[in-house]
Amino acid sequence: MVIKHWFESLANRAVALVVVVIVLSALTVTIVGALLSRGELEQQATNQVVTIARLVASELDEKLASRLKILNHVAQSFTMDAQVFESRARVLLQQQTALEHLFDGLYLIDSNGRVMAEFPEEYGLIGQDVSQRDYFRDAGNFNTPVISEPYLSLYRDTPAIMIAAPVFNHSHRFIGMIGGALMLEGEQFMQEFARVRIGETGYLSIATRAGTTLAHGGTGEVMVPVRIENPVLRDAMSGFEGTKSSKSKDGSAVIVSVQQMAQVPWFVAAVWPTREAFAPMTRTADAFVWTLLAVIAVMAPVALFVFRRLMRPLTTLGDEINERHLGVRTTPVSVAGGREIRHVAQIFNTVMDERDEVLGSLAEREAFFRSLTQSAPIGIIQTDVLGRIEFVNPAYEQLIGRPASDLQHSYLGNSIYPPDREQALSGWQKSLQQHEVFRGRLRLLSRNDEQLIWGDVMTSVIETPDKALGTITVVRDITRELETETALREEQQRAEHILGVLQEGVLMIDVEGQIRYANQAACQFLGGGFRGDCVQVNFFEQAVIRDAERELGRSDFLGADDMDSLYVTLRNSAGEVFDIDLTMLHVRKGTADERMVFVLRDDSERRREEERLSWEATHDSLTQLANRRAFTAELVKCLGESPRQKARSVLILIDLDYFKPVNDEGGHLLGDDLLKQLAELFMASVRQSDTVARLGGDEFGIILPACGLDHAKALAEKIRVGVEALRIEQDGRSFGVTASIGVTEMTAQDSGTREVVSRADEGTYIAKSRGRNMAIVVPAPPDVEEPDVS
């Protein structure tokens, strides 16, 4: 009973039959296969892979060496002056027709890394800066031809290698280089080697020891990392050369032979799947197959008879399912036959019930979708995979002025302005093939095909897990927006033109200090190489701004309010210093895209004028000494510091004797000359911290801070002797004066400048009353001693 129950299952009966066939076949194959040897075949396959790897590596080395040699020979023929090299770059490159067949691109580059000429010129790389490329630095630094590591070129990021040779002038000085580019995806020899096949599925792979794939005959990949999980390739990157067995990416066994190259740090890997390498064994397997066929020929009729009887209930179930699908049958299919067939019938009935529910739900969703699109304010179009319109909403009808009946089953591209049609169709096909969202701005035709409407278009694919069903496109009318943008752009250009001719520097920076806009005047303030364009440089790295107290940095301006007429100095990277009247305004303060606008006015002339006026207000124009105002201010300051000084400050007043006869007899010009020489005498006699002033016509004052009376008396006597000795000759006559000098100390008890000046003035009166030409010390209170005559 147990065995009978087990055989009620169709699967169990089939398994029993298959097991019998497999056992018989496997037994036969095992006996025959044991008689064969595969050792010799393995050695033959290994030798073939090694030979191909060596031949390819040798030929690739030879091709690279020949190109390097030819390129270096051409570079040596360019020996000339740097200016001649730059001026004739294009002509020189056009003459190298022989090189055009050896490289995908040819370039002449100057010593600063700028591309001067190229072939073909369609690449559009003239003027590009390649100074940061490794091949340029290696050729310039080592003065030798180089073969570069693979890199992404500036032309559409195309993978390439560069063979470069330095060019020298007659003094063997580096003036540039000639480079030949080989596109890894081009038609040069790299892809020729990649297309070499070993058998039917074996291939070659060329890679660098740094781990970059240059060509891959199996996958066609370029510029991808080498699969380091493969131990043979990992060893090859370390210099291994030889043949090993390994596993491919899909886990199948392969024979890998690695050959290192001599010209460059690359290696060639020849890969041959083991299953193909041992394909000759199939001749032996034919015997196995014939044996197996004989067994099957005997067992097939029996198995066919048995399975037909087993499948009869399944045939009946298939007919009922077909009737249910066509709608002929509305009742569930009958549940009969083996256990599996009954299970399938039950599942089908369940699925059909669920399908009916899903169809009802889909109908409800479609009604909801159509209701939603009917009221949408933007145009919505649904197309099939060929681009034929299946549905449009009223907003799109109104947008282009055509009813849905005219648009139904027409191609979506017919509504697009012809010059934009190719771009639109290309984007639509790319969206459909790559399952991406296409976005673009296109012009649409109105009903009369005369008025153009600008639309912002977005297309997405309608798809199931198995296939694409069509596309859904959304169109928004942006005609007025573009008109507004054009007007704003024109206004911006006018504003930039006005700012460009202003003498004031105007610049706008972001929160990091990067300059986003600057007129020419602002760039001139930064000096150096920024006379023309200083956008994208960091303002605070190129300029140091200081006010009267400290240096102002980026954080100081970010945290401050708007500034108006802040007087600062600006030192640029060239060492130039400007006096600046600075205004700073915040734009969108506190947001992520905050900007700061700086207005820089050169304030040097005004400040020089202020300094001149300030100096004239405090100095005597004849003698260049301080005037009475500056003298009084310094005296007040000195009196205030008296209590804190260890030595007392001293005031000296000087009144010239017999100065009027000099003016009357020698003239005012002679008198002025005498006063100037006396001023020079006084300045030469005092310290740098002392103050010498002209208080009147022939009256002078000297303030000696923290001097002490003894030193002041000696200084007064020195000045008196110097004045007496000073003589001026005119018309055979000698003119001169003497000085009556009053000296007094300043004390903390002095109530003000008048008290101190009165004591010193008293000394000058005493000197004049005693015959002039002497210095009198008037003691400060509370001293009551008689005046000391010296």
Side-chain angles (χ1 to χ4, degrees):
M1 291 298 295
V2 174
I3 297 176
K4 183 178 180 181
H5 177 73
W6 190 84
F7 273 100
E8 286 180 355
S9 170
L10 179 62
N12 291 344
R13 297 173 189 178
V15 167
L17 181 60
V18 170
V19 167
V20 172
V21 173
I22 291 176
V23 169
L24 293 175
S25 300
L27 181 61
T28 305
V29 170
T30 300
I31 296 173
V32 176
L35 302 176
L36 303 176
S37 174
R38 52 185 282 175
E40 182 179 355
L41 186 59
E42 290 181 0
Q43 185 61 42
Q44 292 176 354
T46 301
N47 292 340
Q48 185 174 353
V49 172
V50 171
T51 301
I52 293 176
R54 287 177 179 173
L55 288 174
V56 170
S58 176
E59 186 174 358
L60 184 55
D61 266 329
E62 181 180 352
K63 287 181 177 292
L64 290 174
S66 64
R67 281 165 170 76
L68 187 66
K69 181 178 179 181
I70 293 172
L71 204 63
N72 189 39
H73 178 73
V74 172
Q76 292 175 354
S77 69
F78 286 167
T79 302
M80 60 185 68
D81 185 77
Q83 293 180 349
V84 177
F85 182 59
E86 293 182 10
S87 63
R88 298 188 59 199
R90 179 167 293 184
V91 175
L92 291 173
L93 193 61
Q94 290 175 350
Q95 294 174 349
Q96 307 307 316
T97 55
L99 296 179
E100 296 173 5
H101 305 288
L102 298 178
F103 298 93
D104 293 308
L106 290 173
Y107 307 93
L108 282 183
I109 304 168
D110 65 15
S111 59
N112 295 321
R114 181 180 62 86
V115 178
M116 301 183 295
E118 68 171 352
F119 177 87
E121 295 186 352
E122 289 79 8
Y123 290 165
L125 302 184
I126 295 179
Q128 293 288 340
D129 183 6
V130 298
S131 59
Q132 300 304 314
R133 294 290 193 184
D134 290 339
Y135 62 78
F136 178 82
R137 290 201 295 260
D138 292 343
N141 292 336
F142 302 118
N143 293 334
T144 183
V146 297
I147 300 176
S148 76
E149 287 290 310
Y151 66 95
L152 293 178
S153 70
L154 296 175
Y155 176 70
R156 299 181 179 176
D157 289 338
T158 305
I161 61 171
M162 179 68 75
I163 301 179
V167 179
F168 306 96
N169 61 13
H170 296 288
S171 301
H172 201 70
R173 184 174 181 179
F174 177 75
I175 62 172
M177 58 170 281
I178 180 172
L182 295 174
M183 303 302 181
L184 299 183
E185 296 177 342
E187 294 300 321
Q188 289 292 344
F189 59 87
M190 195 69 69
Q191 288 299 316
E192 295 177 4
F193 290 128
R195 286 193 287 266
V196 172
R197 284 287 177 265
I198 306 172
E200 294 182 1
T201 60
Y203 59 90
L204 291 175
S205 174
I206 305 172
T208 69
R209 292 186 192 173
T212 302
T213 299
L214 300 175
H216 198 291
T219 64
E221 296 174 320
V222 175
M223 285 291 285
V224 297
V226 174
R227 286 199 317 116
I228 58 174
E229 63 268 23
N230 188 318
V232 180
L233 299 181
R234 185 169 60 248
D235 293 343
M237 292 167 59
S238 300
F240 166 76
E241 189 176 70
T243 305
K244 291 184 179 180
S245 296
S246 182
K247 295 288 185 180
S248 66
K249 187 175 181 180
D250 59 3
S252 59
V254 294
I255 302 173
V256 182
S257 180
V258 175
Q259 185 70 32
Q260 299 290 339
M261 296 180 59
Q263 290 293 323
V264 286
W266 301 352
F267 63 87
V268 176
V271 182
W272 198 7
T274 304
R275 64 178 181 275
E276 183 183 355
F278 300 152
M281 293 181 61
T282 56
R283 291 189 297 270
T284 304
D286 289 340
F288 303 164
V289 172
W290 286 111
T291 303
L292 183 60
L293 289 176
V295 175
I296 294 175
V298 174
M299 298 185 61
V302 177
L304 182 61
F305 174 77
V306 173
F307 270 100
R308 280 184 175 177
R309 296 197 61 180
L310 293 175
M311 295 302 163
R312 191 170 297 163
L314 190 61
T315 302
T316 302
L317 177 62
D319 294 337
E320 293 181 358
I321 289 176
N322 186 50
E323 292 173 356
R324 180 72 186 271
H325 173 69
L326 296 175
V328 178
R329 182 185 184 94
T330 58
T331 60
V333 298
S334 59
V335 180
R339 186 170 58 194
E340 288 79 5
I341 297 176
R342 294 197 303 270
H343 184 61
V344 170
Q346 291 172 351
I347 292 176
F348 175 77
N349 289 330
T350 302
V351 169
M352 290 300 295
D353 293 339
E354 292 178 351
R355 189 195 70 164
D356 292 340
E357 294 179 3
V358 170
L359 289 176
S361 176
L362 287 176
E364 293 176 359
R365 291 186 180 184
E366 181 178 1
F368 173 75
F369 168 75
R370 296 195 176 266
S371 174
L372 182 64
T373 55
Q374 290 289 332
S375 59
I378 57 177
I380 300 176
I381 312 101
Q382 179 186 342
T383 69
D384 59 17
V385 293
L386 298 178
R388 293 174 296 195
I389 297 176
E390 295 181 342
F391 168 78
V392 296
N393 70 338
Y396 185 74
E397 296 180 61
Q398 184 178 3
L399 180 65
I400 63 172
R402 297 177 64 187
S405 57
D406 291 350
L407 298 172
Q408 201 82 8
H409 304 303
S410 66
Y411 286 95
L412 178 61
N414 295 341
S415 300
I416 301 172
Y417 186 50
D420 296 348
R421 195 168 293 167
E422 182 177 352
Q423 172 195 353
L425 292 178
S426 175
W428 182 82
Q429 291 173 354
K430 181 179 179 182
S431 172
L432 194 63
Q433 294 170 359
Q434 301 183 6
H435 306 280
E436 297 177 349
V437 175
F438 166 71
R439 295 177 182 270
R441 288 184 172 185
L442 307 171
R443 287 170 289 184
L444 306 176
L445 297 170
S446 63
R447 184 184 187 109
N448 54 15
D449 292 341
E450 295 179 357
Q451 181 183 2
L452 295 180
I453 301 169
W454 276 99
D456 186 5
V457 179
M458 181 176 69
T459 298
S460 181
V461 181
I462 304 174
E463 59 183 339
T464 66
D466 299 328
K467 63 179 180 178
L469 304 177
T471 63
I472 187 78
T473 301
V474 177
V475 181
R476 183 170 62 89
D477 187 355
I478 58 170
T479 306
R480 290 190 175 274
E481 292 181 15
L482 293 181
E483 292 174 353
T484 303
E485 288 180 6
T486 302
L488 289 174
R489 189 160 45 249
E490 292 175 353
E491 289 297 327
Q492 181 180 359
Q493 291 174 351
R494 282 194 289 270
E496 290 180 353
H497 178 72
I498 294 172
L499 290 175
V501 299
L502 289 178
Q503 293 183 352
E504 290 85 355
V506 181
L507 54 86
M508 180 171 65
I509 67 174
D510 59 22
V511 293
E512 298 299 328
Q514 294 293 116
I515 298 177
R516 296 305 184 93
Y517 170 80
N519 65 356
Q520 186 174 3
C523 293
Q524 289 176 349
F525 279 117
L526 297 184
F530 305 111
R531 298 292 183 186
D533 184 10
C534 54
V535 177
Q536 297 303 325
V537 303
N538 192 290
F539 174 64
F540 296 104
E541 292 178 359
Q542 301 298 326
V544 177
I545 299 176
R546 295 188 65 90
D547 63 5
E549 300 176 354
R550 62 192 176 95
E551 180 178 323
L552 300 176
R554 178 176 64 88
S555 58
D556 297 310
F557 288 105
L558 276 176
D561 295 329
D562 293 346
M563 299 177 180
D564 186 21
S565 294
L566 178 65
Y567 299 117
V568 299
T569 59
L570 182 148
R571 179 186 294 274
N572 61 28
S573 58
E576 300 172 316
V577 179
F578 298 93
D579 292 320
I580 298 296
D581 180 359
L582 182 144
T583 298
M584 187 275 294
L585 302 174
H586 289 282
V587 179
R588 299 187 295 274
K589 186 175 183 179
T591 63
D593 57 346
E594 178 180 351
R595 300 288 186 267
M596 291 181 287
V597 177
F598 287 82
V599 180
L600 310 176
R601 304 177 185 89
D602 191 345
D603 202 37
S604 303
E605 185 63 31
R606 186 191 64 80
R607 295 195 190 184
R608 283 194 294 270
E609 182 64 18
E610 284 186 354
E611 290 174 358
R612 184 185 66 80
L613 294 174
S614 175
W615 189 91
E616 290 179 353
T618 57
H619 286 75
D620 177 60
S621 60
L622 176 63
T623 62
Q624 310 300 308
L625 299 177
N627 61 15
R628 181 178 290 275
R629 178 185 298 174
F631 176 81
T632 302
E634 186 63 26
L635 187 58
V636 171
K637 177 182 176 184
C638 198
L639 283 171
E641 295 175 350
S642 292
R644 299 187 296 274
Q645 294 173 342
K646 294 181 180 180
R648 289 186 175 182
S649 299
V650 178
L651 171 62
I652 298 177
L653 290 183
I654 304 171
D655 196 350
L656 301 181
D657 304 325
Y658 312 113
F659 180 70
K660 189 174 185 302
V662 175
N663 264 340
D664 294 341
E665 299 175 15
H668 288 287
L669 293 179
L670 180 65
D672 290 348
D673 191 23
L674 178 60
L675 291 175
K676 291 179 183 178
Q677 294 193 34
L678 288 172
E680 294 175 0
L681 172 65
F682 298 155
M683 289 298 297
S685 303
V686 301
R687 301 169 300 179
Q688 189 174 1
S689 60
D690 299 336
T691 301
V692 182
R694 183 186 180 196
L695 306 179
D698 58 355
E699 184 180 1
F700 296 86
I702 301 176
I703 301 174
L704 306 172
C707 174
L709 187 58
D710 292 338
H711 179 72
K713 288 164 62 177
L715 178 61
E717 181 61 22
K718 177 182 177 182
I719 291 174
R720 185 196 66 77
V721 173
V723 173
E724 183 180 14
L726 181 62
R727 308 296 294 180
I728 297 179
E729 301 292 333
Q730 180 174 296
D731 298 332
R733 296 183 60 187
S734 178
F735 296 90
V737 295
T738 61
S740 295
I741 302 174
V743 181
T744 186
E745 292 181 298
M746 303 180 205
T747 68
Q749 287 73 29
D750 289 322
S751 59
T753 60
R754 179 174 297 180
E755 184 177 350
V756 179
V757 173
S758 296
R759 285 201 305 272
D761 206 20
E762 181 183 351
T764 63
Y765 291 144
I766 294 173
K768 286 184 180 293
S769 65
R770 294 183 180 181
R772 296 181 172 85
N773 193 23
M774 64 180 64
I776 302 298
V777 177
V778 180
D783 296 335
V784 294
E785 298 177 1
E786 292 295 328
D788 182 23
V789 179
S790 56

